[in-house]
Amino acid sequence: MIINYLEKANFEDTGFSYTMSIVNGKYKMVILYCLMEFETVRYNELKRYLGRISDKTLSSSLKELEADGLIVRKEYPQIPPKVEYSLSEKGDSLMVILDQLCVWGEQNRPAPDS
């Protein structure tokens, strides 16, 4: 019975697959975590928070997160340009899960050497 189910099953049709597809990438979950912690963040603040990330990678990750509806980009018409990022309602709903990953990590990471 299980074998018949597996033959017809398609991982790409699962909610898990969809979730992983929108948070997949080296920095996307870290960006979401930063926005969860600090709410509204400017581009250069994100860049400093993430450390060694190229402008191209950060820009690409932000565009993908915005296209997937997880973050909101607010641009202010001024010189020099000012852009702020924050979580959207959809992105905020994902934070419950991300927070649980943080809790799990705190409970299971190895203790620092004394």
Side-chain angles (χ1 to χ4, degrees), residues 27-77:
Y27 295 102
K28 285 184 179 180
M29 288 181 63
V30 180
I31 291 167
L32 293 171
Y33 178 81
C34 179
L35 295 176
M36 178 183 72
E37 286 290 310
F38 303 108
E39 297 180 12
T40 301
V41 180
R42 294 179 67 182
Y43 182 90
N44 285 332
E45 293 170 330
L46 270 171
K47 189 161 170 64
R48 277 192 299 275
Y49 182 79
L50 295 170
R52 299 179 67 154
I53 184 172
S54 70
D55 286 321
K56 180 181 178 185
T57 301
L58 178 55
S59 179
S60 174
S61 295
L62 289 168
K63 286 177 184 175
E64 290 172 13
L65 289 167
E66 183 182 14
D68 289 327
L70 296 179
I71 66 171
V72 175
R73 179 182 190 270
K74 185 172 183 181
E75 189 172 338
Y76 295 89

mmCIF file of all heavy atoms in Angstrom, residues 27-77:
data_model
loop_
_atom_site.group_PDB
_atom_site.id
_atom_site.type_symbol
_atom_site.label_atom_id
_atom_site.label_comp_id
_atom_site.label_asym_id
_atom_site.label_seq_id
_atom_site.Cartn_x
_atom_site.Cartn_y
_atom_site.Cartn_z
ATOM 1 N N TYR A 27 21.590 32.980 2.283
ATOM 2 C CA TYR A 27 21.333 34.141 3.133
ATOM 3 C C TYR A 27 19.857 34.458 3.391
ATOM 4 O O TYR A 27 19.563 35.288 4.237
ATOM 5 C CB TYR A 27 21.998 35.378 2.521
ATOM 6 C CG TYR A 27 23.498 35.274 2.502
ATOM 7 C CD1 TYR A 27 24.169 34.948 1.332
ATOM 8 C CD2 TYR A 27 24.247 35.496 3.648
ATOM 9 C CE1 TYR A 27 25.557 34.845 1.308
ATOM 10 C CE2 TYR A 27 25.628 35.395 3.635
ATOM 11 C CZ TYR A 27 26.278 35.072 2.462
ATOM 12 O OH TYR A 27 27.640 34.975 2.451
ATOM 13 N N LYS A 28 18.949 33.825 2.676
ATOM 14 C CA LYS A 28 17.547 34.216 2.799
ATOM 15 C C LYS A 28 17.004 34.071 4.219
ATOM 16 O O LYS A 28 16.346 34.970 4.727
ATOM 17 C CB LYS A 28 16.675 33.434 1.824
ATOM 18 C CG LYS A 28 16.811 33.899 0.392
ATOM 19 C CD LYS A 28 15.839 33.131 -0.473
ATOM 20 C CE LYS A 28 15.908 33.562 -1.906
ATOM 21 N NZ LYS A 28 14.961 32.797 -2.724
ATOM 22 N N MET A 29 17.281 32.951 4.861
ATOM 23 C CA MET A 29 16.765 32.773 6.217
ATOM 24 C C MET A 29 17.439 33.734 7.195
ATOM 25 O O MET A 29 16.812 34.196 8.143
ATOM 26 C CB MET A 29 16.905 31.319 6.659
ATOM 27 C CG MET A 29 15.906 30.439 5.919
ATOM 28 S SD MET A 29 15.930 28.699 6.367
ATOM 29 C CE MET A 29 15.463 28.732 8.063
ATOM 30 N N VAL A 30 18.691 34.057 6.945
ATOM 31 C CA VAL A 30 19.397 35.012 7.808
ATOM 32 C C VAL A 30 18.806 36.414 7.631
ATOM 33 O O VAL A 30 18.628 37.151 8.606
ATOM 34 C CB VAL A 30 20.916 35.005 7.516
ATOM 35 C CG1 VAL A 30 21.639 35.989 8.413
ATOM 36 C CG2 VAL A 30 21.478 33.609 7.673
ATOM 37 N N ILE A 31 18.477 36.770 6.408
ATOM 38 C CA ILE A 31 17.836 38.063 6.140
ATOM 39 C C ILE A 31 16.488 38.121 6.865
ATOM 40 O O ILE A 31 16.173 39.112 7.539
ATOM 41 C CB ILE A 31 17.656 38.291 4.624
ATOM 42 C CG1 ILE A 31 19.017 38.506 3.953
ATOM 43 C CG2 ILE A 31 16.726 39.476 4.359
ATOM 44 C CD1 ILE A 31 18.980 38.437 2.431
ATOM 45 N N LEU A 32 15.705 37.062 6.744
ATOM 46 C CA LEU A 32 14.403 37.019 7.426
ATOM 47 C C LEU A 32 14.576 37.109 8.939
ATOM 48 O O LEU A 32 13.832 37.815 9.623
ATOM 49 C CB LEU A 32 13.651 35.735 7.046
ATOM 50 C CG LEU A 32 13.211 35.646 5.587
ATOM 51 C CD1 LEU A 32 12.687 34.247 5.279
ATOM 52 C CD2 LEU A 32 12.163 36.702 5.267
ATOM 53 N N TYR A 33 15.576 36.416 9.473
ATOM 54 C CA TYR A 33 15.851 36.464 10.908
ATOM 55 C C TYR A 33 16.211 37.890 11.338
ATOM 56 O O TYR A 33 15.719 38.386 12.351
ATOM 57 C CB TYR A 33 16.984 35.493 11.262
ATOM 58 C CG TYR A 33 17.355 35.519 12.717
ATOM 59 C CD1 TYR A 33 16.605 34.823 13.652
ATOM 60 C CD2 TYR A 33 18.453 36.246 13.170
ATOM 61 C CE1 TYR A 33 16.938 34.850 14.995
ATOM 62 C CE2 TYR A 33 18.794 36.277 14.502
ATOM 63 C CZ TYR A 33 18.034 35.573 15.416
ATOM 64 O OH TYR A 33 18.361 35.617 16.739
ATOM 65 N N CYS A 34 17.038 38.552 10.564
ATOM 66 C CA CYS A 34 17.426 39.932 10.858
ATOM 67 C C CYS A 34 16.202 40.842 10.886
ATOM 68 O O CYS A 34 16.046 41.664 11.789
ATOM 69 C CB CYS A 34 18.445 40.412 9.828
ATOM 70 S SG CYS A 34 18.986 42.125 10.055
ATOM 71 N N LEU A 35 15.326 40.686 9.896
ATOM 72 C CA LEU A 35 14.119 41.520 9.849
ATOM 73 C C LEU A 35 13.163 41.193 10.994
ATOM 74 O O LEU A 35 12.463 42.068 11.491
ATOM 75 C CB LEU A 35 13.425 41.366 8.498
ATOM 76 C CG LEU A 35 14.232 41.881 7.304
ATOM 77 C CD1 LEU A 35 13.494 41.599 5.999
ATOM 78 C CD2 LEU A 35 14.541 43.356 7.433
ATOM 79 N N MET A 36 13.157 39.929 11.417
ATOM 80 C CA MET A 36 12.341 39.556 12.566
ATOM 81 C C MET A 36 12.865 40.243 13.832
ATOM 82 O O MET A 36 12.103 40.781 14.620
ATOM 83 C CB MET A 36 12.357 38.039 12.762
ATOM 84 C CG MET A 36 11.567 37.558 13.984
ATOM 85 S SD MET A 36 11.659 35.779 14.250
ATOM 86 C CE MET A 36 13.348 35.578 14.823
ATOM 87 N N GLU A 37 14.170 40.247 13.985
ATOM 88 C CA GLU A 37 14.791 40.819 15.183
ATOM 89 C C GLU A 37 14.736 42.342 15.210
ATOM 90 O O GLU A 37 14.472 42.944 16.246
ATOM 91 C CB GLU A 37 16.253 40.369 15.281
ATOM 92 C CG GLU A 37 16.432 38.940 15.694
ATOM 93 C CD GLU A 37 16.053 38.695 17.137
ATOM 94 O OE1 GLU A 37 16.513 39.440 18.021
ATOM 95 O OE2 GLU A 37 15.275 37.748 17.365
ATOM 96 N N PHE A 38 15.004 42.979 14.075
ATOM 97 C CA PHE A 38 15.171 44.427 14.041
ATOM 98 C C PHE A 38 14.062 45.175 13.309
ATOM 99 O O PHE A 38 14.114 46.392 13.173
ATOM 100 C CB PHE A 38 16.534 44.782 13.433
ATOM 101 C CG PHE A 38 17.677 44.155 14.184
ATOM 102 C CD1 PHE A 38 18.390 43.096 13.640
ATOM 103 C CD2 PHE A 38 18.022 44.597 15.448
ATOM 104 C CE1 PHE A 38 19.430 42.502 14.332
ATOM 105 C CE2 PHE A 38 19.061 44.011 16.158
ATOM 106 C CZ PHE A 38 19.769 42.961 15.598
ATOM 107 N N GLU A 39 13.066 44.448 12.802
ATOM 108 C CA GLU A 39 11.867 44.972 12.145
ATOM 109 C C GLU A 39 12.148 45.702 10.839
ATOM 110 O O GLU A 39 11.972 45.137 9.785
ATOM 111 C CB GLU A 39 11.039 45.805 13.106
ATOM 112 C CG GLU A 39 10.520 44.973 14.260
ATOM 113 C CD GLU A 39 9.684 45.753 15.234
ATOM 114 O OE1 GLU A 39 9.289 46.896 14.930
ATOM 115 O OE2 GLU A 39 9.424 45.212 16.313
ATOM 116 N N THR A 40 12.558 46.942 10.863
ATOM 117 C CA THR A 40 12.827 47.701 9.642
ATOM 118 C C THR A 40 14.325 47.935 9.543
ATOM 119 O O THR A 40 14.943 48.457 10.465
ATOM 120 C CB THR A 40 12.081 49.046 9.657
ATOM 121 O OG1 THR A 40 10.686 48.782 9.784
ATOM 122 C CG2 THR A 40 12.335 49.820 8.384
ATOM 123 N N VAL A 41 14.899 47.520 8.397
ATOM 124 C CA VAL A 41 16.347 47.565 8.249
ATOM 125 C C VAL A 41 16.700 48.134 6.877
ATOM 126 O O VAL A 41 16.059 47.807 5.878
ATOM 127 C CB VAL A 41 16.951 46.147 8.398
ATOM 128 C CG1 VAL A 41 18.448 46.169 8.245
ATOM 129 C CG2 VAL A 41 16.556 45.525 9.731
ATOM 130 N N ARG A 42 17.700 48.980 6.844
ATOM 131 C CA ARG A 42 18.187 49.538 5.572
ATOM 132 C C ARG A 42 19.196 48.577 4.944
ATOM 133 O O ARG A 42 19.761 47.711 5.603
ATOM 134 C CB ARG A 42 18.815 50.905 5.821
ATOM 135 C CG ARG A 42 17.747 51.911 6.275
ATOM 136 C CD ARG A 42 18.291 53.262 6.552
ATOM 137 N NE ARG A 42 18.766 53.873 5.306
ATOM 138 C CZ ARG A 42 19.328 55.057 5.244
ATOM 139 N NH1 ARG A 42 19.499 55.777 6.340
ATOM 140 N NH2 ARG A 42 19.732 55.558 4.088
ATOM 141 N N TYR A 43 19.413 48.757 3.640
ATOM 142 C CA TYR A 43 20.281 47.875 2.862
ATOM 143 C C TYR A 43 21.671 47.747 3.494
ATOM 144 O O TYR A 43 22.172 46.639 3.692
ATOM 145 C CB TYR A 43 20.388 48.403 1.425
ATOM 146 C CG TYR A 43 21.233 47.539 0.528
ATOM 147 C CD1 TYR A 43 20.666 46.501 -0.184
ATOM 148 C CD2 TYR A 43 22.604 47.768 0.396
ATOM 149 C CE1 TYR A 43 21.443 45.696 -1.017
ATOM 150 C CE2 TYR A 43 23.380 46.972 -0.419
ATOM 151 C CZ TYR A 43 22.796 45.938 -1.123
ATOM 152 O OH TYR A 43 23.566 45.144 -1.930
ATOM 153 N N ASN A 44 22.319 48.875 3.803
ATOM 154 C CA ASN A 44 23.676 48.827 4.355
ATOM 155 C C ASN A 44 23.718 48.188 5.731
ATOM 156 O O ASN A 44 24.713 47.554 6.092
ATOM 157 C CB ASN A 44 24.302 50.224 4.382
ATOM 158 C CG ASN A 44 24.734 50.674 3.005
ATOM 159 O OD1 ASN A 44 25.056 49.857 2.152
ATOM 160 N ND2 ASN A 44 24.722 51.978 2.776
ATOM 161 N N GLU A 45 22.647 48.329 6.512
ATOM 162 C CA GLU A 45 22.583 47.662 7.816
ATOM 163 C C GLU A 45 22.522 46.148 7.626
ATOM 164 O O GLU A 45 23.182 45.402 8.355
ATOM 165 C CB GLU A 45 21.367 48.147 8.598
ATOM 166 C CG GLU A 45 21.446 49.600 9.010
ATOM 167 C CD GLU A 45 20.137 50.146 9.566
ATOM 168 O OE1 GLU A 45 19.051 49.680 9.164
ATOM 169 O OE2 GLU A 45 20.216 51.048 10.427
ATOM 170 N N LEU A 46 21.736 45.704 6.652
ATOM 171 C CA LEU A 46 21.684 44.274 6.334
ATOM 172 C C LEU A 46 23.047 43.764 5.905
ATOM 173 O O LEU A 46 23.488 42.698 6.333
ATOM 174 C CB LEU A 46 20.681 44.017 5.198
ATOM 175 C CG LEU A 46 19.250 43.726 5.579
ATOM 176 C CD1 LEU A 46 18.363 43.723 4.350
ATOM 177 C CD2 LEU A 46 19.135 42.423 6.326
ATOM 178 N N LYS A 47 23.707 44.534 5.067
ATOM 179 C CA LYS A 47 25.026 44.140 4.565
ATOM 180 C C LYS A 47 26.028 43.995 5.718
ATOM 181 O O LYS A 47 26.776 43.022 5.777
ATOM 182 C CB LYS A 47 25.523 45.148 3.538
ATOM 183 C CG LYS A 47 26.779 44.695 2.811
ATOM 184 C CD LYS A 47 26.948 45.479 1.542
ATOM 185 C CE LYS A 47 28.275 45.260 0.890
ATOM 186 N NZ LYS A 47 28.520 43.931 0.423
ATOM 187 N N ARG A 48 26.018 44.933 6.652
ATOM 188 C CA ARG A 48 26.906 44.845 7.815
ATOM 189 C C ARG A 48 26.542 43.645 8.684
ATOM 190 O O ARG A 48 27.410 42.934 9.189
ATOM 191 C CB ARG A 48 26.842 46.126 8.635
ATOM 192 C CG ARG A 48 27.732 47.226 8.123
ATOM 193 C CD ARG A 48 27.868 48.372 9.116
ATOM 194 N NE ARG A 48 26.607 49.023 9.423
ATOM 195 C CZ ARG A 48 26.058 49.997 8.705
ATOM 196 N NH1 ARG A 48 26.669 50.435 7.625
ATOM 197 N NH2 ARG A 48 24.922 50.537 9.058
ATOM 198 N N TYR A 49 25.250 43.400 8.883
ATOM 199 C CA TYR A 49 24.782 42.299 9.723
ATOM 200 C C TYR A 49 25.217 40.956 9.139
ATOM 201 O O TYR A 49 25.624 40.061 9.865
ATOM 202 C CB TYR A 49 23.254 42.359 9.843
ATOM 203 C CG TYR A 49 22.659 41.302 10.736
ATOM 204 C CD1 TYR A 49 22.683 41.449 12.120
ATOM 205 C CD2 TYR A 49 22.062 40.165 10.209
ATOM 206 C CE1 TYR A 49 22.128 40.492 12.947
ATOM 207 C CE2 TYR A 49 21.507 39.206 11.020
ATOM 208 C CZ TYR A 49 21.543 39.366 12.385
ATOM 209 O OH TYR A 49 20.996 38.412 13.211
ATOM 210 N N LEU A 50 25.141 40.835 7.819
ATOM 211 C CA LEU A 50 25.454 39.565 7.164
ATOM 212 C C LEU A 50 26.945 39.328 7.000
ATOM 213 O O LEU A 50 27.378 38.206 6.772
ATOM 214 C CB LEU A 50 24.773 39.496 5.797
ATOM 215 C CG LEU A 50 23.249 39.468 5.861
ATOM 216 C CD1 LEU A 50 22.655 39.655 4.486
ATOM 217 C CD2 LEU A 50 22.758 38.186 6.489
ATOM 218 N N GLY A 51 27.736 40.381 7.097
ATOM 219 C CA GLY A 51 29.189 40.215 6.980
ATOM 220 C C GLY A 51 29.633 40.067 5.548
ATOM 221 O O GLY A 51 29.393 40.930 4.721
ATOM 222 N N ARG A 52 30.216 38.947 5.234
ATOM 223 C CA ARG A 52 30.835 38.739 3.919
ATOM 224 C C ARG A 52 29.801 38.303 2.886
ATOM 225 O O ARG A 52 29.673 37.126 2.575
ATOM 226 C CB ARG A 52 31.937 37.707 4.034
ATOM 227 C CG ARG A 52 33.044 38.152 4.982
ATOM 228 C CD ARG A 52 34.093 37.129 5.087
ATOM 229 N NE ARG A 52 34.758 37.053 3.781
ATOM 230 C CZ ARG A 52 35.991 36.647 3.606
ATOM 231 N NH1 ARG A 52 36.703 36.263 4.618
ATOM 232 N NH2 ARG A 52 36.506 36.608 2.396
ATOM 233 N N ILE A 53 29.082 39.261 2.362
ATOM 234 C CA ILE A 53 28.109 39.007 1.297
ATOM 235 C C ILE A 53 28.318 40.058 0.218
ATOM 236 O O ILE A 53 28.532 41.233 0.530
ATOM 237 C CB ILE A 53 26.652 39.036 1.835
ATOM 238 C CG1 ILE A 53 25.656 38.668 0.722
ATOM 239 C CG2 ILE A 53 26.319 40.376 2.465
ATOM 240 C CD1 ILE A 53 24.231 38.479 1.210
ATOM 241 N N SER A 54 28.274 39.624 -1.017
ATOM 242 C CA SER A 54 28.461 40.581 -2.109
ATOM 243 C C SER A 54 27.174 41.382 -2.318
ATOM 244 O O SER A 54 26.076 40.939 -1.950
ATOM 245 C CB SER A 54 28.829 39.848 -3.398
ATOM 246 O OG SER A 54 27.722 39.114 -3.885
ATOM 247 N N ASP A 55 27.315 42.558 -2.913
ATOM 248 C CA ASP A 55 26.140 43.376 -3.228
ATOM 249 C C ASP A 55 25.191 42.623 -4.152
ATOM 250 O O ASP A 55 23.974 42.681 -3.982
ATOM 251 C CB ASP A 55 26.559 44.697 -3.888
ATOM 252 C CG ASP A 55 27.155 45.669 -2.885
ATOM 253 O OD1 ASP A 55 26.652 45.739 -1.748
ATOM 254 O OD2 ASP A 55 28.126 46.363 -3.240
ATOM 255 N N LYS A 56 25.760 41.900 -5.114
ATOM 256 C CA LYS A 56 24.938 41.154 -6.070
ATOM 257 C C LYS A 56 24.108 40.082 -5.359
ATOM 258 O O LYS A 56 22.915 39.935 -5.624
ATOM 259 C CB LYS A 56 25.825 40.508 -7.133
ATOM 260 C CG LYS A 56 25.063 39.717 -8.156
ATOM 261 C CD LYS A 56 25.983 39.067 -9.174
ATOM 262 C CE LYS A 56 25.164 38.229 -10.156
ATOM 263 N NZ LYS A 56 25.994 37.495 -11.083
ATOM 264 N N THR A 57 24.721 39.333 -4.448
ATOM 265 C CA THR A 57 24.015 38.269 -3.734
ATOM 266 C C THR A 57 22.943 38.843 -2.824
ATOM 267 O O THR A 57 21.816 38.332 -2.783
ATOM 268 C CB THR A 57 25.011 37.417 -2.926
ATOM 269 O OG1 THR A 57 25.970 36.853 -3.822
ATOM 270 C CG2 THR A 57 24.315 36.302 -2.175
ATOM 271 N N LEU A 58 23.265 39.909 -2.098
ATOM 272 C CA LEU A 58 22.281 40.523 -1.213
ATOM 273 C C LEU A 58 21.120 41.083 -2.017
ATOM 274 O O LEU A 58 19.952 40.845 -1.695
ATOM 275 C CB LEU A 58 22.923 41.616 -0.359
ATOM 276 C CG LEU A 58 21.977 42.360 0.587
ATOM 277 C CD1 LEU A 58 21.220 41.404 1.507
ATOM 278 C CD2 LEU A 58 22.750 43.397 1.400
ATOM 279 N N SER A 59 21.429 41.806 -3.058
ATOM 280 C CA SER A 59 20.395 42.393 -3.900
ATOM 281 C C SER A 59 19.492 41.317 -4.503
ATOM 282 O O SER A 59 18.263 41.434 -4.491
ATOM 283 C CB SER A 59 21.044 43.217 -5.008
ATOM 284 O OG SER A 59 20.067 43.766 -5.845
ATOM 285 N N SER A 60 20.081 40.257 -4.987
ATOM 286 C CA SER A 60 19.334 39.148 -5.587
ATOM 287 C C SER A 60 18.438 38.470 -4.552
ATOM 288 O O SER A 60 17.263 38.185 -4.819
ATOM 289 C CB SER A 60 20.311 38.140 -6.187
ATOM 290 O OG SER A 60 19.644 37.002 -6.639
ATOM 291 N N SER A 61 18.976 38.220 -3.367
ATOM 292 C CA SER A 61 18.189 37.580 -2.305
ATOM 293 C C SER A 61 17.010 38.451 -1.893
ATOM 294 O O SER A 61 15.892 37.955 -1.708
ATOM 295 C CB SER A 61 19.070 37.293 -1.086
ATOM 296 O OG SER A 61 20.069 36.358 -1.397
ATOM 297 N N LEU A 62 17.254 39.750 -1.765
ATOM 298 C CA LEU A 62 16.177 40.670 -1.389
ATOM 299 C C LEU A 62 15.089 40.722 -2.466
ATOM 300 O O LEU A 62 13.894 40.708 -2.146
ATOM 301 C CB LEU A 62 16.735 42.069 -1.137
ATOM 302 C CG LEU A 62 17.582 42.221 0.134
ATOM 303 C CD1 LEU A 62 18.322 43.548 0.123
ATOM 304 C CD2 LEU A 62 16.720 42.084 1.378
ATOM 305 N N LYS A 63 15.493 40.757 -3.727
ATOM 306 C CA LYS A 63 14.517 40.773 -4.820
ATOM 307 C C LYS A 63 13.678 39.502 -4.833
ATOM 308 O O LYS A 63 12.459 39.552 -5.050
ATOM 309 C CB LYS A 63 15.220 40.959 -6.168
ATOM 310 C CG LYS A 63 15.708 42.366 -6.392
ATOM 311 C CD LYS A 63 16.455 42.501 -7.700
ATOM 312 C CE LYS A 63 17.023 43.904 -7.844
ATOM 313 N NZ LYS A 63 17.844 44.049 -9.038
ATOM 314 N N GLU A 64 14.306 38.361 -4.589
ATOM 315 C CA GLU A 64 13.577 37.091 -4.571
ATOM 316 C C GLU A 64 12.609 37.037 -3.390
ATOM 317 O O GLU A 64 11.465 36.596 -3.549
ATOM 318 C CB GLU A 64 14.553 35.918 -4.521
ATOM 319 C CG GLU A 64 15.320 35.725 -5.809
ATOM 320 C CD GLU A 64 16.428 34.686 -5.709
ATOM 321 O OE1 GLU A 64 16.460 33.920 -4.719
ATOM 322 O OE2 GLU A 64 17.275 34.638 -6.623
ATOM 323 N N LEU A 65 13.057 37.479 -2.220
ATOM 324 C CA LEU A 65 12.177 37.493 -1.050
ATOM 325 C C LEU A 65 10.994 38.437 -1.256
ATOM 326 O O LEU A 65 9.869 38.143 -0.852
ATOM 327 C CB LEU A 65 12.964 37.876 0.209
ATOM 328 C CG LEU A 65 13.940 36.823 0.730
ATOM 329 C CD1 LEU A 65 14.868 37.423 1.774
ATOM 330 C CD2 LEU A 65 13.191 35.623 1.293
ATOM 331 N N GLU A 66 11.252 39.565 -1.909
ATOM 332 C CA GLU A 66 10.176 40.509 -2.209
ATOM 333 C C GLU A 66 9.208 39.909 -3.229
ATOM 334 O O GLU A 66 7.987 39.997 -3.070
ATOM 335 C CB GLU A 66 10.762 41.820 -2.735
ATOM 336 C CG GLU A 66 9.702 42.874 -2.992
ATOM 337 C CD GLU A 66 10.268 44.166 -3.553
ATOM 338 O OE1 GLU A 66 11.435 44.198 -3.996
ATOM 339 O OE2 GLU A 66 9.511 45.155 -3.565
ATOM 340 N N ALA A 67 9.739 39.268 -4.269
ATOM 341 C CA ALA A 67 8.891 38.654 -5.300
ATOM 342 C C ALA A 67 8.026 37.535 -4.713
ATOM 343 O O ALA A 67 6.887 37.336 -5.149
ATOM 344 C CB ALA A 67 9.752 38.109 -6.433
ATOM 345 N N ASP A 68 8.544 36.836 -3.713
ATOM 346 C CA ASP A 68 7.786 35.765 -3.059
ATOM 347 C C ASP A 68 6.832 36.295 -1.997
ATOM 348 O O ASP A 68 6.117 35.519 -1.361
ATOM 349 C CB ASP A 68 8.741 34.734 -2.443
ATOM 350 C CG ASP A 68 9.448 33.896 -3.496
ATOM 351 O OD1 ASP A 68 8.838 33.636 -4.553
ATOM 352 O OD2 ASP A 68 10.600 33.495 -3.262
ATOM 353 N N GLY A 69 6.842 37.607 -1.785
ATOM 354 C CA GLY A 69 5.910 38.221 -0.856
ATOM 355 C C GLY A 69 6.281 38.101 0.609
ATOM 356 O O GLY A 69 5.438 38.314 1.483
ATOM 357 N N LEU A 70 7.557 37.795 0.900
ATOM 358 C CA LEU A 70 7.971 37.642 2.294
ATOM 359 C C LEU A 70 8.470 38.940 2.918
ATOM 360 O O LEU A 70 8.434 39.097 4.137
ATOM 361 C CB LEU A 70 9.057 36.572 2.415
ATOM 362 C CG LEU A 70 8.628 35.158 2.021
ATOM 363 C CD1 LEU A 70 9.796 34.191 2.149
ATOM 364 C CD2 LEU A 70 7.457 34.691 2.856
ATOM 365 N N ILE A 71 8.955 39.855 2.085
ATOM 366 C CA ILE A 71 9.422 41.144 2.605
ATOM 367 C C ILE A 71 8.806 42.282 1.801
ATOM 368 O O ILE A 71 8.332 42.100 0.689
ATOM 369 C CB ILE A 71 10.973 41.251 2.601
ATOM 370 C CG1 ILE A 71 11.524 41.260 1.176
ATOM 371 C CG2 ILE A 71 11.604 40.159 3.444
ATOM 372 C CD1 ILE A 71 13.019 41.580 1.107
ATOM 373 N N VAL A 72 8.850 43.459 2.414
ATOM 374 C CA VAL A 72 8.356 44.678 1.775
ATOM 375 C C VAL A 72 9.538 45.626 1.621
ATOM 376 O O VAL A 72 10.312 45.825 2.559
ATOM 377 C CB VAL A 72 7.253 45.344 2.641
ATOM 378 C CG1 VAL A 72 6.833 46.668 2.054
ATOM 379 C CG2 VAL A 72 6.082 44.404 2.816
ATOM 380 N N ARG A 73 9.660 46.193 0.432
ATOM 381 C CA ARG A 73 10.709 47.173 0.146
ATOM 382 C C ARG A 73 10.055 48.537 0.060
ATOM 383 O O ARG A 73 9.140 48.747 -0.719
ATOM 384 C CB ARG A 73 11.383 46.833 -1.179
ATOM 385 C CG ARG A 73 12.474 47.782 -1.594
ATOM 386 C CD ARG A 73 13.022 47.344 -2.965
ATOM 387 N NE ARG A 73 14.213 48.046 -3.325
ATOM 388 C CZ ARG A 73 14.247 49.193 -3.994
ATOM 389 N NH1 ARG A 73 13.115 49.758 -4.398
ATOM 390 N NH2 ARG A 73 15.389 49.771 -4.283
ATOM 391 N N LYS A 74 10.543 49.465 0.888
ATOM 392 C CA LYS A 74 10.005 50.824 0.866
ATOM 393 C C LYS A 74 11.112 51.782 0.461
ATOM 394 O O LYS A 74 12.146 51.869 1.118
ATOM 395 C CB LYS A 74 9.444 51.205 2.237
ATOM 396 C CG LYS A 74 8.776 52.552 2.252
ATOM 397 C CD LYS A 74 8.075 52.819 3.566
ATOM 398 C CE LYS A 74 7.354 54.153 3.500
ATOM 399 N NZ LYS A 74 6.679 54.467 4.746
ATOM 400 N N GLU A 75 10.876 52.480 -0.644
ATOM 401 C CA GLU A 75 11.871 53.421 -1.175
ATOM 402 C C GLU A 75 11.403 54.846 -0.905
ATOM 403 O O GLU A 75 10.257 55.193 -1.163
ATOM 404 C CB GLU A 75 12.039 53.198 -2.678
ATOM 405 C CG GLU A 75 13.175 53.962 -3.279
ATOM 406 C CD GLU A 75 13.423 53.567 -4.727
ATOM 407 O OE1 GLU A 75 13.021 52.458 -5.133
ATOM 408 O OE2 GLU A 75 14.018 54.383 -5.444
ATOM 409 N N TYR A 76 12.311 55.667 -0.393
ATOM 410 C CA TYR A 76 12.007 57.064 -0.109
ATOM 411 C C TYR A 76 12.613 57.934 -1.209
ATOM 412 O O TYR A 76 13.790 57.774 -1.543
ATOM 413 C CB TYR A 76 12.585 57.469 1.244
ATOM 414 C CG TYR A 76 11.956 56.741 2.399
ATOM 415 C CD1 TYR A 76 12.471 55.525 2.845
ATOM 416 C CD2 TYR A 76 10.837 57.245 3.030
ATOM 417 C CE1 TYR A 76 11.900 54.843 3.900
ATOM 418 C CE2 TYR A 76 10.247 56.567 4.090
ATOM 419 C CZ TYR A 76 10.786 55.372 4.520
ATOM 420 O OH TYR A 76 10.201 54.693 5.562
ATOM 421 N N PRO A 77 11.835 58.855 -1.765
ATOM 422 C CA PRO A 77 12.336 59.714 -2.845
ATOM 423 C C PRO A 77 13.202 60.852 -2.288
ATOM 424 O O PRO A 77 12.719 61.945 -2.013
ATOM 425 C CB PRO A 77 11.057 60.243 -3.494
ATOM 426 C CG PRO A 77 10.056 60.239 -2.386
ATOM 427 C CD PRO A 77 10.431 59.096 -1.487
#
